[in-house]
Structures are given as C-alpha cells and as structure tokens.
Amino acid sequence: MAKVAVLPGDGIGPEIVREAVSILHLVAPDIETQEALVGGCAYDATGHPLPAETLELCRESDAILLGAVGGPKWDVIPDPDLRPERGALLPLRKHLGLYANLRPAILHKALADASALKPSLVGDGLDVLVVRELTGGVYFGQPKSNDGNRAIDTMVYTKEEIVRIAHVGFQAAQKRGKRLCSVDKQNVLMTSVLWRDTVNEVAKEYPDVELTHMLVDNCAMQLVRNPKQFDVIVTENLFGDVLSDEAAMITGSLGMLPSASLGTGTFGLYEPIHGSAPDIAGKGVANPLATILSVALMLRYSCGREEAAQRIEAAVGKVLESGLRTPDIAGAGEATVGTIEMAEAVRAALV
Ligand code: NAD
C-alpha cells in the first residue's frame, strides 16, 4: 500500500491541499496519507521550516504532496537558511535526491482566451511537458565566487547526470506523443557538447521516440512562435528554469499548472507551480486545480495508477468545459466560484 506525505504549508496551501487530498481519497481509497508541517508554519511551531519529523515522514513515504511555503511574515527571518523556501524546499529536494523536474504546460481548450498568444496558435489548447535537470549545472557547480570585481559561476555536468535525466525525458515521451526535443547550447558550451552526445547515446534505447535537438535561444523563440510543435522538452537546470516558466506563462493560468520532482525509482514530490498567494489566503477563492492535477501526476509517476490519473484530468477538463471558473481564470464579467465549489465540481465529475 502506498503512503503519501501531505505537506500543506503556508498561505493558500492548506485550503487547496485539503481539496486535492479528498480527491486522492476518492480515486485511490487504499492510499494512506499523513500530514506534517513545512515552511513558515513549521518555523513558527518548531523553529525550523523543515523539522526532522517532517523529513523523516517524507523519507518513509512513497510520494510527497506539497501545497506552498512562504509569505511576508517569514521574509524577515534573520537567518536566510531558516526562511521557508531556502530552508525547506531546497533541502527537501537535495536530501531526497530529486533530480528531475517535470512541468506540464497545459492549456485547456476552454481557457484558450487566458493565453497571451493568438487563438490561431493555441485556440484548441496546448500540452507541452518540460523536463528540467534539477540538481546539476551552473546552480551547483564549484568554484563559485564574487569579490566585487569579478564573479565566477561554474557549469558542470557529468555523463551520469545527463544519462539519468535523458532516460526521464525519453520515458515521459513514451507515455505521451513519443517526441522528445533536447535543448542545449552546443555551439558554445562544452557541457552542451557532452549533453548532446550523451542524449544521442541514450536515444538508442528508445527507438520508438523521435529525438530532435534545438539550441536554447531558438527554443525560447519557437515556444512563442509555434508551441504546438513540442511534445516533451528535456534540458539542463538553468535553461529548464527559464523555458519551463516561459512555457507555463504561455498558458496564462498559474493556478492551473502542476509539477513533479522525481528521483531514482518512483519516489516523487508533487506541487502546484504557484506560491502561497498570501494576497488571497483565507478568502476561499484560490484555484485548487493545480494541486488536484499534481495528485494526478503523483498517481501516474509514483503510484503506477495511470487510469486514476486520467480520471482526474478528464474530470478537470469536464468542469472547465462546463464553464466553472475561479476568479484567476475567469474572463471579465464571468461568474466565479470559490475553492470548495470548484473542488466539489471535480469530485462530481469523476466517473
Ligand atoms: P504566488 O504564485 O504565490 O502568487 C502570484 C499571484 O498569483 C498572486 O496574485 C496570487 O494571488 C496568484 N495565485 C497564485 N496561486 C493561485 C491560485 N492557486 N489561485 C488563484 N490565484 C493564485 O507568487 P508570489 O506572490 O511571488 O509569492 C508568494 C509567496 O509564495 C512568497 O513567499 C514566495 O516566496 C512563495 N513561493 C513559494 C513557492 C513554493 O512553495 N514552491 C513558489 C513560488 C513562491
């Protein structure tokens, strides 16, 4: 029996996670869930944003469902290592070896108006998956320094790091449209030369997936020129940071987008891409769909329950087609519903 650590966190976190967990219990009643503190609320209760008991629970679970952490109240904690994002999220990823970040940028047809792109480009929806390497590259390479006159960052990748993220990319593509675009800067960076050679080697194990390569500057341009050409994009940490935000923003709906961070095996951390939205916390208007869709990713990647994942995704699609909108995805003058009503509609649409 699978066990899920549930970490609601701060701001709107508890409101949206509560609804997502109730949907998890409906589609997979045998999955056990256990809650723990993370973020600012954990700091207030224990003096640390990632208490030892929380980390222990995460280690003994098969997956983690996280709401969001942070808020103005904790931005002033003097020790930056005790602030929620730096003190909880980064160590959680590091301790648990979560090296692959999966960010689907899905624009439902019913929400096409929310996109900044022309209807001719995204009118009938969009579904791109960005797979970002999360624990290597220039964010972590040594040496790193800044003496006020000269600053150094070092971009390092080992073949092993590239091989494992390439496998994630190919396997994700196998489950979708079977097309993988590997993004690098091979004309300038040595790490990118190794990246491209390695991805080509790994490709031999996936003859059913069509592999293409693209330079990162071209990819940034192609994403706004013709985003539908992409199925799965796999790329290194820094490029993935930028491209996954770009792809997400094309959909225009922050409250809609889930994410998964995976390590070896099936263990994973699932969370909406948005933050704790302190401006609307406690008002009952937060969009719970990104967190509900994160549960679908969890069922797919950590629990091997593709059918249950698709049930949730189909229910969300149905609710959007019926015209139900939380304020963040409503057009001007459109009627809106709150967090609970939106989740209730998804529960009712599950078949
Ligand atoms: P944010 O994503 O929390 O909010 C940005 C805007 O989007 C706000 O207007 C907010 O109301 C809206 N929004 C976000 N999620 C929504 C939802 N589900 N439904 C409706 N509207 C939604 O980003 P921010 O304001 O820059 O950050 C707020 C706090 O969250 C900060 O403390 C930041 O550090 C933290 N944060 C945490 C994470 C995380 O936990 N992974 C990620 C990003 C930011």
Side-chain angles (χ1 to χ4, degrees):
M1 185 176 64
K3 179 170 166 182
V4 174
V6 175
L7 315 182
D10 306 315
I12 60 171
E15 303 165 43
I16 52 180
V17 166
R18 189 181 310 124
E19 301 306 328
V21 168
S22 87
I23 284 166
L24 171 65
H25 286 152
L26 265 183
V27 299
D30 58 311
I31 292 181
E32 188 195 329
T33 56
Q34 193 177 332
E35 267 199 31
L37 292 173
V38 75
C41 60
Y43 176 83
D44 288 347
T46 71
H48 200 285
L50 182 63
E53 313 87 82
T54 300
L55 189 56
E56 191 49 40
L57 172 68
C58 293
R59 282 192 204 282
E60 68 192 28
S61 299
D62 301 291
I64 304 168
L65 179 65
L66 185 115
V69 299
K73 180 179 174 195
W74 302 286
D75 288 344
V76 292
I77 295 173
D79 181 351
D81 286 337
L82 292 179
R83 289 183 198 154
E85 276 187 283
R86 192 152 145 190
L89 291 187
L90 297 185
L92 205 50
R93 288 179 189 145
K94 187 163 154 261
H95 285 305
L96 301 172
L98 302 171
Y99 63 83
N101 186 227
L102 275 60
R103 295 248 307 242
I106 297 168
L107 177 61
H108 289 267
K109 193 177 169 188
L111 293 180
D113 284 349
S115 174
L117 298 187
K118 287 184 284 199
S120 60
L121 293 176
V122 293
D124 52 353
L126 180 72
D127 182 359
V128 179
L129 174 68
V130 180
V131 176
R132 167 189 170 195
E133 202 288 328
L134 204 56
T135 55
V138 74
Y139 291 176
F140 294 93
Q142 295 294 333
K144 213 177 231 315
S145 65
N146 175 10
D147 66 10
N149 276 316
R150 189 162 179 263
I152 300 174
D153 287 299
T154 307
M155 195 170 205
V156 187
Y157 266 107
T158 64
K159 185 160 181 165
E160 190 192 346
E161 287 172 320
I162 303 169
V163 166
R164 65 184 187 177
I165 193 72
H167 280 294
V168 175
F170 280 107
Q171 285 163 19
Q174 273 182 327
K175 290 186 184 143
R176 297 169 40 105
K178 298 193 166 41
R179 288 182 297 117
L180 179 68
C181 178
S182 171
V183 172
D184 59 40
K185 189 70 183 169
Q186 191 237 22
N187 52 345
V188 178
L189 298 173
M190 295 317 291
T191 44
S192 283
V193 174
L194 180 64
W195 180 278
R196 196 175 282 211
D197 290 347
T198 307
V199 172
N200 279 332
E201 269 178 40
V202 174
K204 292 179 189 139
E205 296 178 46
Y206 300 92
D208 55 331
V209 176
E210 181 197 315
L211 171 68
T212 52
H213 297 278
M214 199 178 270
L215 296 176
V216 61
D217 40 348
N218 187 24
C219 182
M221 194 250 288
Q222 294 296 337
L223 267 172
V224 288
R225 202 185 70 89
N226 177 19
K228 278 174 174 294
Q229 69 184 284
F230 298 106
D231 176 23
V232 180
I233 291 172
V234 64
T235 190
E236 63 89 53
N237 202 347
L238 170 63
F239 301 160
D241 194 359
V242 179
L243 293 178
S244 60
D245 266 15
E246 184 188 353
M249 285 308 121
I250 288 171
T251 74
S253 26
L254 205 56
M256 293 294 308
L257 297 174
S259 79
S261 300
L262 307 176
T264 37
T266 56
F267 184 83
L269 182 151
Y270 301 85
E271 59 184 326
I273 69 158
H274 59 73
S276 60
D279 52 332
I280 56 166
K283 295 187 177 159
V285 295
N287 185 344
L289 295 179
T291 318
I292 291 170
L293 291 168
S294 299
V295 167
L297 292 185
M298 182 171 82
L299 289 162
R300 173 169 297 131
Y301 293 114
S302 285
C303 308
R305 310 258 183 113
E306 178 61 30
E307 203 186 316
Q310 286 185 14
R311 272 181 75 197
I312 294 179
E313 289 165 350
V316 168
K318 225 192 259 179
V319 167
L320 292 173
E321 275 156 36
S322 78
L324 223 59
R325 301 281 184 270
T326 44
D328 59 307
I329 52 172
E334 251 183 318
T336 62
V337 297
T339 311
I340 295 175
E341 292 92 328
M342 180 56 102
E344 189 50 51
V346 176
R347 284 189 281 271
L350 286 169
V351 284

